[in-house]
């Protein structure tokens, strides 16, 4: 079921000894008390399709399969930020109203705050961490720098993911079209004119996403 | 959000059986209404049944009109060539709704069942007859600027359906196909799917517990082909309607052969207006006719302190929409 070519997740750097101790201890305790873990992906294709309590989930993020232990109520946003240490994706409103949490699922932009992680297993998830190729920025990231497309930067990961999708959808052909099709991403700093300019620059350069 | 179990259903039978098997269960499609409400502790469910694998898909011409599966996404339907061509008002109602991200997630079935944006309903600290029957309605004497002026009752004045699509569907005689736990299907016109609040504002539709929305079918008509959806908001985009109008006209030689009118943002349910349609049918397609139709549509309005402006706003919205399709 899982792509055998998928690289293993890179080991997470140890940042905080205490925190990782707690994580480990929790893991050990959990293992002692919990019934044998069945991978959720297996469960979902097997007879029992019910997922209850903490189980193993697999998410394919930026081309890498990551596993984590979580309950069905964990949103994709919290899974990325709290379990997988991918904190580029931001939490603004947590209710679908601001767009800060925008990621791509199978190439389509969605609000990760209203998406359950359990429901996007086996799908391709792309976050802002997956835009650059190594040191080479995505053209839209470069354009945001060229045009000062941000001030505080909090909305920027969501703007970038939404902008990349907007370009790919073909909705960036005019300034007005960009304004309408980027309206799901709010910017409290009001960097809108520069965000529009950045997206239009990439569109005019012929980049197709 | 409370903890819950998650069940993925692959057929309608499995879905209805799973839901019936656990008290306090709900279906989840796009999750954009359901999770929003659960996070605010306005709904609590012990089990969510994922219905995304159900075969309620496809956008296709049938003898009865265009049939759209309930699991289709707002974005796909809004930009579908058959919808854009034959039902411009339906396409516009979808593409002017929510945001591109939400439209990628949200299903047509889920859209029908979105809940009111009444601020008191959405804040569990307040009483609300819709949320807790019998507890009272603070909106009547409170902030009601975004609430309804048509179809209101002493118990509730909320726009129970605050969205757009169902308004366009109500205008063009769309019919929902529903399926119950026994696998039995029934067809209900969108205009009859929603019910007035009366003394039981907690009941908003005729959907039975566990019943599924399978599809919506929209008849192919001349007035639907010449139609538009006009939405007036507090900001240009990404906001609910203060007032909106879905209209369609079949005009021949300057005379209106048939007309369809529904209003959004002003009724306790998507507000089809036979009164306006009666004024329009057989009349010359002029602004004077449109003004008379708008006056007829709002004649029964019962505004409150903060939403009095909607009486005029709704009329102007309707006139502008009619001018747009008649020119
Ligand atoms: C910030 C924001 C702004 C919005 N703005 C607008 C707007 O401007 N205009 C507009 O029209 N809408 C707007 N919406 C509402 C949005 O369109 C709905 O949330 C969406 O359509 C619901 O679809 P869903 O698939 O996500 O439903 P879900 O959240 O999955 O389900 C909603 C409800 O319907 C039930 N359900 C779902 N599918 C079925 C089915 N097939 N059969 C039976 N029951 C079912 C579920 O059990 C649940 O109770 C907005 C939402 C948000 C969060
Ligand atoms: S208007 Fe309806 S939804 Fe709003 S507080 Fe009153 S009863 Fe509740
Ligand atoms: S955090 Fe998801 S839309 Fe605001
Ligand atoms: S840059 Fe500050 S919110 Fe957009």
């Amino acid at each position: 079921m899982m792509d055998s070519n998928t690289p293993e997740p890179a080991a997470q750097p140890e940042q905080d000894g205490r925190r990782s101790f707690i994580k480990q201890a929790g893991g050990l305790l959990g293992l002692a008390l919990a019934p044998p873990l069945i991978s959720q992906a297996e469960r979902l294709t097997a007879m029992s399709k019910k997922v209850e309590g903490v189980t193993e989930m697999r998410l394919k993020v930026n081309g890498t399969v990551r596993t984590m232990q979580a309950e069905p109520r964990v949103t994709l946003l919290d899974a990325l930020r709290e379990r997988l240490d991918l904190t580029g994706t931001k939490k603004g409103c947590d209710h679908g109203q601001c767009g800060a949490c925008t990621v791509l699922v199978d190439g389509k932009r969605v609000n990760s705050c209203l998406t359950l992680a359990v429901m996007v297993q086996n799908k391709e998830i792309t976050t802002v961490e997956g835009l650059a190729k190594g040191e080479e920025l995505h053209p839209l990231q470069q354009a945001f720098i060229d045009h000062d497309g941000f001030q505080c930067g909090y909305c920027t990961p969501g703007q970038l993911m939404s902008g990349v999708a907007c370009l790919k959808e073909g909705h960036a052909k005019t300034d007005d079209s960009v304004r309408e099709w980027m309206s799901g991403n709010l910017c409290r700093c009001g960097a809108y004119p520069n965000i529009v300019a950045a997206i239009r620059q990439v569109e005019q350069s012929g980049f197709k996403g | 959000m409370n903890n819950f179990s998650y069940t993925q259903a692959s057929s309608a039978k499995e879905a209805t059986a799973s839901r019936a098997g656990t008290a306090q269960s709900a279906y989840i499609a796009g999750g954009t209404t359901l999770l929003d409400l659960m996070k605010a502790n306005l709904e609590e469910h012990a089990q969510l049944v994922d219905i995304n694998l159900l075969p309620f898909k496809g956008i296709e011409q049938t003898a009865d009109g265009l049939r759209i599966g309930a699991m289709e996404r707002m974005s796909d339907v809004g930009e579908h060539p058959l919808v854009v061509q034959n039902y411009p008002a339906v396409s516009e109602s979808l593409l002017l709704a929510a945001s591109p991200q939400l439209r990628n997630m949200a299903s047509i079935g889920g859209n029908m069942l979105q809940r009111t944006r009444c601020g008191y309903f959405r804040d569990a600290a307040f009483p609300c007859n819709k949320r807790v029957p019998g507890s009272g309605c603070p909106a009547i004497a409170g902030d009601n600027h975004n609430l309804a002026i048509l179809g209101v009752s002493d118990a509730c004045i909320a726009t129970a359906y605050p969205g757009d699509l169902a308004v366009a569907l109500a205008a063009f005689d769309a019919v929902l196909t529903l399926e119950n736990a026994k696998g039995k299907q029934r067809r209900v016109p969108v205009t009859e799917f929603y019910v007035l609040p009366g003394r039981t504002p907690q009941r908003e539709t005729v959907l039975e517990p566990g019943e599924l929305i399978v599809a919506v079918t929209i008849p192919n008509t001349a007035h639907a082909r010449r139609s538009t959806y006009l939405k007036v908001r507090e900001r240009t985009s990404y906001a609910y309607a203060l007032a909106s109008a879905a209209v369609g006209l079949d005009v021949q030689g300057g005379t209106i052969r048939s007309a369809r009118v529904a209003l959004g943002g002003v009724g306790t349910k998507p507000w089809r207006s036979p009164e306006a349609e009666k004024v329009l049918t057989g009349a010359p397609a002029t602004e004077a006719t449109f003004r008379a139709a708008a006056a007829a549509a709002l004649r029964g309005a019962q505004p409150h302190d903060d939403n009095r402006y909607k009486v005029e706003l709704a009329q102007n919205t309707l006139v502008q929409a009619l001018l747009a399709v008649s020119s």
Side-chain angles (χ1 to χ4, degrees):
Chain A
M1 186 232 42
M2 276 296 161
D3 180 355
S4 55
N5 293 326
T6 314
E8 279 302 304
Q12 294 297 318
E14 296 282 279
Q15 297 155 322
D16 176 341
R18 188 169 159 270
R19 204 163 141 211
S20 58
F21 167 73
I22 292 171
K23 268 190 200 160
Q24 267 185 25
L28 288 173
L29 246 176
L31 215 78
L33 299 176
L37 292 167
I38 313 167
S39 129
Q40 203 123 111
E42 274 166 48
R43 277 199 182 199
L44 291 181
T45 47
M47 292 244 292
S48 159
K49 293 172 187 167
K50 192 161 181 163
V51 178
E52 222 166 350
V54 178
T55 49
E56 181 173 300
M57 289 190 203
R58 286 162 173 250
L59 291 180
K60 191 169 178 189
V61 187
N62 302 327
T64 303
V65 175
R66 306 278 304 266
T67 58
M68 61 175 194
Q69 307 293 324
E71 294 169 334
R73 67 171 155 179
V74 172
T75 62
L76 176 57
L77 175 59
D78 287 343
L80 292 169
R81 290 183 55 84
E82 313 289 334
R83 319 281 161 130
L84 303 178
D85 289 332
L86 290 168
T87 53
T89 307
K90 298 291 182 259
K91 183 183 281 192
C93 64
D94 213 19
H95 284 274
Q97 298 173 1
C98 75
C101 65
T102 304
V103 301
L104 307 185
V105 173
D106 284 345
K108 289 192 172 171
R109 45 176 158 162
V110 303
N111 303 100
S112 61
C113 68
L114 293 182
T115 302
L116 293 178
V118 67
M119 289 172 71
V120 290
Q121 299 184 88
N122 304 330
K123 300 198 176 186
E124 301 275 347
I125 297 153
T126 311
T127 68
V128 71
E129 289 91 346
L131 281 189
K133 291 201 182 87
E135 290 298 297
E136 189 194 335
L137 293 181
H138 184 284
L140 190 60
Q141 289 175 311
Q142 186 58 51
F144 264 62
I145 294 171
D146 297 345
H147 289 275
D148 272 339
F150 48 84
Q151 286 181 37
C152 76
Y154 197 81
C155 71
T156 311
Q159 301 280 2
L160 286 167
M161 299 316 292
S162 202
V164 165
C166 181
L167 284 157
K168 200 167 71 179
E169 295 158 4
H171 290 134
K173 303 268 189 264
T174 65
D175 287 10
D176 274 348
S177 176
V178 170
R179 286 187 194 106
E180 173 61 28
W181 288 85
M182 288 298 291
S183 63
N185 292 81
L186 306 189
C187 173
R188 294 300 296 270
C189 299
Y192 298 114
N194 303 1
I195 294 169
V196 173
I199 295 173
R200 292 286 293 138
Q201 174 189 297
V202 177
E203 162 69 25
Q204 277 159 343
S205 76
F207 181 82
K208 289 283 178 283
Chain B
M1 188 155 50
N2 72 284
N3 211 356
F4 51 80
S5 69
Y6 163 86
T7 304
Q8 193 181 47
S10 48
S11 67
K13 214 176 159 169
E14 246 180 59
T16 51
S18 301
R19 208 191 122 151
T22 305
Q24 287 278 50
S25 293
Y27 298 130
I28 181 165
T32 61
T33 283
L34 188 71
L35 297 178
D36 178 36
L37 294 173
M38 288 180 74
K39 282 183 178 192
N41 296 322
L42 300 173
E43 279 192 29
E44 208 171 291
H45 300 285
Q47 176 191 232
L48 295 190
V49 180
D50 181 353
I51 55 174
N52 286 290
L53 291 183
L54 267 53
F56 299 167
K57 305 251 165 77
I59 302 171
E60 57 204 15
Q61 274 313 341
T62 68
D64 298 331
L66 192 70
R67 183 185 160 99
I68 302 167
M71 296 316 308
E72 291 292 334
R73 304 293 143 170
M74 287 173 71
S75 50
D76 296 330
V77 179
E79 292 197 281
H80 194 281
L82 285 175
V83 180
V84 174
Q85 241 170 55
N86 296 333
Y87 309 91
V90 174
S91 164
E92 290 159 21
S93 75
L94 285 162
L95 299 182
L96 293 173
S99 70
Q101 291 94 314
L102 289 161
R103 298 195 295 265
N104 279 340
M105 307 165 71
S107 66
I108 299 300
N111 186 296
M112 297 294 104
L113 297 171
Q114 58 179 283
R115 307 297 304 279
T116 183
R117 303 303 279 198
C118 172
Y120 303 105
F121 171 85
R122 290 180 58 86
D123 186 340
F126 285 94
C128 164
N129 285 330
K130 196 182 271 306
R131 197 166 18 80
V132 184
S135 62
C137 173
I140 289 174
D143 176 5
N144 47 50
H145 82 281
N146 64 342
L147 302 185
I149 55 175
L150 290 163
V152 298
S153 73
D154 292 342
C156 178
I157 60 169
T159 42
Y161 175 91
D164 303 292
L165 173 64
V167 179
L169 294 178
F172 299 106
D173 305 289
V175 177
L176 293 170
T177 303
L178 312 177
E179 181 170 328
N180 70 12
K182 295 189 185 111
K184 197 166 174 296
Q185 293 200 346
R186 60 175 177 140
R187 291 165 62 88
V188 178
V190 170
T191 47
E192 290 166 30
F193 181 70
Y194 298 98
V195 296
L196 292 173
R199 290 164 65 181
T200 53
Q202 69 277 17
R203 183 165 176 268
E204 298 177 342
T205 71
V206 300
L207 196 74
E208 299 290 343
E211 202 171 21
L212 284 160
I213 301 176
V214 176
V216 60
T217 306
I218 329 170
N220 195 343
T221 56
H223 45 247
R225 277 191 293 281
R226 189 164 173 176
S227 68
T228 195
Y229 185 78
L230 182 62
K231 181 175 180 183
V232 180
R233 295 170 265 192
E234 279 172 344
R235 59 186 183 201
T236 314
S237 190
Y238 199 15
Y240 286 90
L242 295 173
S244 69
V247 303
L249 293 179
D250 179 12
V251 184
Q252 282 175 26
T255 302
I256 301 166
R257 296 268 305 262
S258 64
R260 290 294 181 273
V261 172
L263 299 172
V266 289
T268 49
K269 63 179 209 166
W271 200 260
R272 176 80 176 263
S273 180
E275 296 85 358
E277 290 168 11
K278 197 167 159 222
V279 172
L280 293 166
T281 309
T286 61
E287 184 166 350
T289 303
F290 302 157
R291 286 264 157 226
L298 273 296
R299 196 151 291 143
Q302 291 172 269
H304 287 78
D305 281 352
D306 298 340
N307 65 10
R308 234 163 269 287
Y309 73 96
K310 283 195 178 188
V311 180
E312 194 181 344
L313 181 67
Q315 292 187 58
N316 290 339
T317 306
L318 180 49
V319 170
Q320 290 305 317
L322 288 166
L323 283 170
V325 280
S326 64
S327 64

